[in-house]
Amino acid sequence: MERHQSSVTRTPLNSVVVQRRSKSKSYRQSYRSCLGATSRLGFTPALTAQRLNASRRAPKSHDITEKVNPKHLDLLTKTEWQLSYVTPLYQFRHTQLKSYSRQLSAFIAAEKQQGLAVEVDGSHSYRVSFSVVQGMVETDHDAETILIQIHSNPMFARQDEPLKSVWRGYLTCINGNPDYIRSLLKDFICLPLFGSSGPEGLTCLVKSWFQKTFDCYFGPLEISDTSLRWLVALWTNCHMESNIQHLKMIWTLPAVPPLQITYTVNPQDAWELWSSVRKAHQEENEGGEDAKDETIVDIEEVMSFMQQLKSHFYRHFRLDLSAGSLNQVSTALGSAKSNGRIKISNSKYMITTLTLLTECALLKMPI
């Protein structure tokens, strides 16, 4: 325990900031099954009764630059995405992406012409491109990731004027639950995690076209308190391979008005505390039936790590973070917010992060 205390107390006291702030068509059969009717998915009307996995593999540097198109990788890692979940797509074909590009372009043009796309600039034309992000598949059950980009040009632009990227999105499934994927009928494909970046009006049009074309449903994907804690631990675990530079957490405590606390931990202190938690957990289970696999991180370690961080904060400021909610975490590897916004800054750990987010999205699936 002494080791825990010494590593944490070196965290600078000025790393804490406290602020106070004031406060067409139906979704079709796939979604209606959640509300009572049986869908073509063949599942009972409910939501998946699963929880996040209680353990997962410790992240390791995963160099995918040789497998993934550098342009695709650059887009995926330099963008902050707004996350949604999407139910399985009916009769979606990776071989039809050129056709989908034309269809979605035409759909946007038609909606704009009818005045329905109120947030879309009517003085611009839009061109859509679908592409496969090859090299990100982790298992035989995962479908290839799809990247969607929308470019625009003023109606009377010069012929040689380049198109401007105004919106992008992706659909992915990384290490998806094989039992769930195998349970789907063969005409359905599972790409449950959807990220979008760009004007909300275009996001709504893209979702609307997908829902009408592939009999699916989109819903908001918040990042839960537990998922944020997992990211704190998993990203800290990477520090010795890739300097995380800082561990920053934003908490909100119930007060009038709500109390917002920014808690920044020195990366070496965070790493030493995490290492001591891991060592203590392994020693506790050493030699028994529950002997610990060093490549596995479990939820008990994550919760113990977070409790140590909160205890250190309480010793200095007499504020109990357990009474509040964790809203945001960030390191040099990425940032995540409870409202479903995520940015992955280092491609070496992208698979680890997308695996967790895929799991979160699958928990929203109808069964």
Side-chain angles (χ1 to χ4, degrees), residues 120-351:
V120 176
D121 191 340
S123 65
H124 286 63
S125 60
Y126 295 90
R127 182 180 300 173
V128 179
S129 65
F130 280 69
S131 52
V132 176
V133 183
Q134 295 181 333
M136 287 179 57
V137 168
E138 287 292 293
T139 72
D140 293 338
H141 302 288
D142 293 343
E144 291 277 14
T145 297
I146 298 297
L147 179 65
I148 309 163
Q149 296 185 75
I150 301 178
H151 294 81
S152 80
N153 229 359
M155 288 290 191
F156 304 104
R158 297 191 313 271
Q159 194 168 6
D160 61 345
E161 188 170 332
L163 292 171
K164 179 184 176 183
S165 176
V166 294
W167 187 93
R168 58 186 64 126
Y170 68 83
L171 290 155
T172 194
C173 179
I174 306 295
N175 286 308
N177 184 305
D179 292 334
Y180 176 79
I181 295 172
R182 281 195 296 262
S183 72
L184 297 174
L185 300 179
K186 71 173 184 176
D187 280 333
F188 285 88
I189 190 168
C190 185
L191 288 165
L193 182 63
F194 175 74
S196 60
S197 175
E200 182 61 26
L202 285 173
T203 301
C204 290
L205 287 178
V206 171
K207 289 180 177 180
S208 178
W209 179 80
F210 265 92
Q211 289 178 167
K212 292 177 179 180
T213 308
F214 302 111
D215 195 17
C216 61
Y217 168 73
F218 289 81
L221 183 63
E222 297 87 4
I223 304 178
S224 69
D225 186 274
T226 300
S227 297
L228 289 173
R229 290 167 191 253
W230 267 110
L231 288 173
V232 169
L234 294 174
W235 285 344
T236 299
N237 193 83
C238 301
H239 178 64
M240 293 308 288
E241 290 183 343
S242 296
N243 189 339
I244 65 170
Q245 297 182 21
H246 64 272
L247 172 59
K248 180 179 176 182
M249 297 165 283
I250 297 179
W251 299 74
T252 300
L253 297 184
V256 181
L259 188 66
Q260 181 175 287
I261 296 171
T262 299
Y263 182 11
T264 303
V265 183
N266 178 282
Q268 188 62 29
D269 293 340
W271 162 254
E272 290 182 11
L273 177 59
W274 172 245
S275 297
S276 64
V277 167
R278 292 273 285 162
K279 182 179 179 181
H281 195 72
Q282 287 164 6
E283 289 176 348
E284 184 179 321
N285 294 296
E286 192 172 358
E289 291 184 2
D290 298 326
K292 188 82 169 58
D293 181 345
E294 292 185 7
T295 66
I296 299 297
V297 177
D298 62 38
I299 190 64
E300 287 80 9
E301 293 171 300
V302 174
M303 293 307 180
S304 177
F305 179 49
M306 294 301 296
Q307 187 57 48
Q308 294 282 353
L309 290 170
K310 289 186 286 186
S311 296
H312 166 65
F313 188 87
Y314 182 80
R315 284 197 297 272
H316 285 284
F317 302 101
R318 289 295 183 265
L319 284 173
D320 185 4
L321 296 177
S322 298
S325 58
L326 180 59
N327 296 327
Q328 183 175 337
V329 300
S330 65
T331 70
L333 305 185
S335 63
K337 302 173 184 177
S338 58
N339 64 0
R341 298 194 73 83
I342 184 87
K343 183 176 182 179
I344 302 172
S345 304
N346 189 323
S347 63
K348 292 180 180 179
Y349 303 99
M350 184 166 65
I351 295 299

Side-chain angles (χ1 to χ4, degrees), residues 95-138:
T95 56
Q96 299 295 314
L97 298 188
K98 285 187 177 180
S99 175
Y100 299 156
S101 299
R102 292 193 296 270
Q103 291 177 43
L104 181 51
S105 296
F107 179 79
I108 293 173
E111 295 291 296
K112 184 181 66 173
Q113 188 173 11
Q114 295 175 29
L116 299 177
V118 293
E119 295 182 33
V120 176
D121 191 340
S123 65
H124 286 63
S125 60
Y126 295 90
R127 182 180 300 173
V128 179
S129 65
F130 280 69
S131 52
V132 176
V133 183
Q134 295 181 333
M136 287 179 57
V137 168
E138 287 292 293

Side-chain angles (χ1 to χ4, degrees), residues 34 46-48 85-88 180 190 192 360-367:
C34 300
L47 294 177
T48 48
Y85 70 88
V86 56
T87 58
Y180 176 79
C190 185
C360 295
L362 284 172
L363 294 181
K364 296 283 192 175
M365 295 299 105
I367 60 172

